Amino acid sequence: MPVAIAIVGRPNVGKSTLFNRLVGRKLAIVDDRPGVTRDRREGDARLGNLRFTVIDTAGLEVADDASLLGRMRAQTEAAIASADLILFLIDARAGVTPADEHFAEVVRRSGVPVVLVANKAESRTGEAGAYEGYALGLGTPVSISAEHNEGMADLAEAIAEQVPEASLPEDEDVAETDAVVSGEEGEEEAIPEDVGLARPLRLAVIGRPNAGKSTLVNALLGEERLLTGPEAGITRDTISVDWTWRDKRIKVFDTAGMRKKARIDDKLEKLSVSDGMRAVRFAEVVVLLVDAAAPLEKQELQIADLVEREGRALVLGLNKWDLVEDRNRRLAEVREMFERLLPQMRGAPIVPISGLAGQGVDKLMEAAFNAHRIWNRRVPTSKLNRWLEGALERHPPPAVSGRRIKIRYATQVKTRPPHFAVFGTQLDALPDSFTRYLVNGLRETFDMPGVPIRLSLRSPKNPFHRKS
């Protein structure tokens, strides 16, 4: 198990900025206002020759246990309990505050080794504030600026003293000393084309606010890993969690709720939605979670269309199923509505579940793995062309200007999602209705429900055509 290091402190001291610096990417949402981070978030960190798991946490605040702030504090306390080392952050520009003193005592009582870090210490004011950190009794403050990448070598030295097992052997090849953020917000990372057997399934859970996404993920994990509650919009960051289901490795992404674009005027919510859309792009299978009482509203159809455009396999989860009375009728209504409004994802599995009661979660995962197998399906060229020959006999392509469009053969050029190329002449004049006929035939003949199917039409270049 890698060393786990939790970043702890009161709100707005720069915990998420330091987290992003250590993991080398802008994973956590950062904003000037306090209380942006709510759930605890883990990432693989590198700092000099150190390798460890870093945990970003919500700001510690005094609040009632049942309140949202109290539940956020409980998440941070869980991170402290699981950590091998705590980085206790203070704002060097503000100096030591009464809140810092209170939570320094909480950290001290935990018994976990602590490194006191004075962040935002790039100015003279910051230097003076860092010296105030001695009063907390947590040892010598390490002055850094996470935003400007200053003092990271000193931080690496302090971490190595407390947890030497985080250091790599000297003969192992390592990168440059300090971790550097690799890109700006929204930058995409490449997804390999090949599917390794040891690679975990990437599963994203998306939907509108208050659809029960975090509750469902907690039911899948079998623990209260994510912050939940009656308030809409609790989740802000996209949180990824590694777990195992029936000896199969999975990386599940819990995302923020996606509202209509016209209703979003807050910068923080825009960042949360953008983070959720990135999770869709990085996922392989997407679970669209809808409220069984009011399924497939316009916003959810737009989300499903986004999943199709990104080429991801889709599973529709009907949440809060335990509250539905006439279940057979409701399921039939949802199936009819889905097939009619989303024909491009025809046949996607629809799984009734209850995240709160933990019902139907195994069926949901079975549907997700089945969708993943279909998403990776490859059809032999011989079978594909036998099907094409029969399809053309039943419905020949139309004629254009007195000449019939000729389709000669087809082949599958890609998986993830299945992508087919059809070769012939005058294919640029092929009507959309005939293209849909071919796509529907591929879906039904080769059993590919619920995944996007790409179809490219390729005609040979006319050597006698005059080049402009």
Side-chain angles (χ1 to χ4, degrees):
M1 292 289 292
V3 170
I5 298 179
I7 304 174
V8 175
R10 63 180 176 83
N12 215 27
V13 294
K15 297 183 295 298
S16 294
T17 303
L18 178 58
F19 174 86
N20 287 342
R21 178 67 61 186
L22 293 174
V23 299
R25 285 180 292 158
K26 289 188 176 179
L27 293 181
I29 295 176
V30 176
D31 194 76
D32 291 336
R33 74 191 82 176
V36 172
T37 302
R38 288 175 171 174
D39 281 289
R40 66 185 192 269
R41 180 172 195 159
E42 299 180 1
D44 296 325
R46 52 189 298 169
L47 186 64
N49 70 332
L50 304 178
R51 299 294 180 271
F52 52 89
T53 297
V54 62
I55 308 171
D56 186 24
T57 65
L60 287 165
E61 295 190 70
V62 178
D64 182 75
D65 291 345
S67 67
L68 177 59
L69 291 177
R71 300 198 303 273
M72 289 164 59
R73 188 184 66 246
Q75 287 284 320
T76 301
E77 291 170 350
I80 292 173
S82 65
D84 300 299
L85 176 69
I86 296 171
L87 300 182
F88 187 82
L89 256 65
I90 62 172
D91 184 343
R93 291 182 300 194
V96 173
T97 68
D100 291 324
E101 295 174 350
H102 174 77
F103 292 115
E105 181 62 28
V106 172
V107 168
R108 190 183 296 108
R109 287 201 304 266
S110 71
V112 180
V114 182
V115 171
L116 178 62
V117 182
N119 192 27
K120 308 179 186 180
E122 64 272 15
S123 64
R124 290 186 177 179
T125 304
E127 290 179 8
Y131 286 123
E132 294 183 18
Y134 282 100
L136 296 175
L138 297 177
T140 302
V142 179
S143 299
I144 69 165
S145 172
E147 184 174 357
H148 298 97
N149 201 26
E150 296 177 3
M152 305 306 285
D154 294 335
L155 179 60
E157 184 178 343
I159 292 174
E161 288 180 0
Q162 294 287 350
V163 281
E165 57 269 29
S167 303
L168 290 175
E170 293 183 2
D171 58 348
E172 187 164 340
D173 185 29
V174 295
E176 302 256 333
T177 306
D178 286 344
V180 181
V181 173
S182 63
E184 298 303 318
E185 275 190 49
E187 181 181 338
E188 296 185 25
E189 67 180 37
I191 300 176
E193 291 295 331
D194 61 314
V195 187
L197 293 177
R199 179 179 175 182
L201 169 70
R202 289 173 173 249
L203 180 72
V205 181
I206 63 174
R208 289 186 298 143
N210 218 27
K213 298 178 293 298
S214 298
T215 303
L216 171 61
V217 175
N218 283 341
L220 292 172
L221 301 177
E223 61 174 299
E224 294 298 313
R225 172 62 180 80
L226 301 172
L227 191 64
T228 61
E231 305 90 348
I234 290 179
T235 302
R236 285 175 172 167
D237 288 278
T238 294
I239 306 297
S240 65
V241 183
D242 294 309
W243 66 295
T244 302
W245 178 79
R246 296 183 181 176
D247 298 326
K248 297 173 182 177
R249 296 173 59 220
I250 303 165
K251 180 181 283 290
V252 61
F253 297 87
D254 180 37
T255 64
M258 298 182 183
R259 293 195 301 159
K260 291 181 180 179
K261 203 172 187 180
R263 296 183 179 177
I264 301 176
D265 53 10
D266 182 67
K267 173 190 171 186
L268 192 57
E269 187 173 357
K270 288 180 181 177
L271 291 175
S272 297
V273 172
S274 176
D275 209 24
M277 293 173 70
R278 282 186 67 208
V280 172
R281 289 195 290 270
F282 296 159
E284 296 167 330
V285 179
V286 174
V287 174
L288 173 57
L289 202 63
V290 301
D291 189 334
L296 295 180
E297 296 188 354
K298 183 178 178 181
Q299 176 64 7
E300 289 160 338
L301 295 174
Q302 291 177 340
I303 295 172
D305 186 62
L306 166 68
V307 174
E308 193 277 336
R309 284 186 279 112
E310 293 294 340
R312 303 300 175 237
L314 178 68
V315 176
L316 186 67
L318 284 180
N319 196 24
K320 308 178 185 179
W321 192 247
D322 51 329
L323 303 179
V324 175
E325 294 182 359
D326 193 345
R327 298 183 177 181
N328 291 332
R329 181 185 172 200
R330 175 50 53 87
L331 188 58
E333 289 175 347
V334 174
R335 289 190 189 279
E336 185 277 330
M337 192 184 308
F338 188 87
E339 299 288 327
R340 175 168 48 86
L341 299 176
L342 286 166
Q344 66 271 36
M345 298 295 279
R346 182 172 298 165
I350 300 175
V351 185
I353 59 172
S354 172
L356 191 62
Q359 299 173 357
V361 292
D362 283 336
K363 289 184 178 179
L364 183 72
M365 292 311 304
E366 290 170 1
F369 274 98
N370 187 53
H372 185 255
R373 283 191 292 271
I374 296 171
W375 193 62
N376 285 281
R377 179 165 296 165
R378 182 172 291 279
V379 180
T381 302
S382 58
K383 288 185 178 181
L384 187 61
N385 282 283
R386 282 198 296 271
W387 161 81
L388 181 63
E389 183 179 350
L392 297 179
E393 285 180 0
R394 289 188 296 273
H395 295 285
V400 178
S401 301
R403 297 179 59 193
R404 185 169 295 280
I405 297 173
K406 292 183 180 179
I407 296 179
R408 302 189 184 280
Y409 68 97
T411 187
Q412 185 172 357
V413 295
K414 193 179 177 185
T415 60
R416 303 164 57 84
H419 187 159
F420 301 90
V422 174
F423 295 83
T425 56
Q426 302 188 91
L427 295 185
D428 54 345
L430 197 68
D432 292 341
S433 59
F434 198 86
T435 302
R436 287 195 297 271
Y437 164 68
L438 294 177
V439 169
N440 290 335
L442 286 166
R443 190 183 302 280
E444 294 171 7
T445 304
F446 300 108
D447 191 24
M448 292 187 288
V451 299
I453 294 179
R454 305 289 188 247
L455 191 67
S456 298
L457 305 176
R458 300 181 182 179
S459 300
K461 291 184 179 179
N462 186 350
F464 300 102
H465 182 70
R466 219 166 118 189
K467 296 182 179 179
S468 57

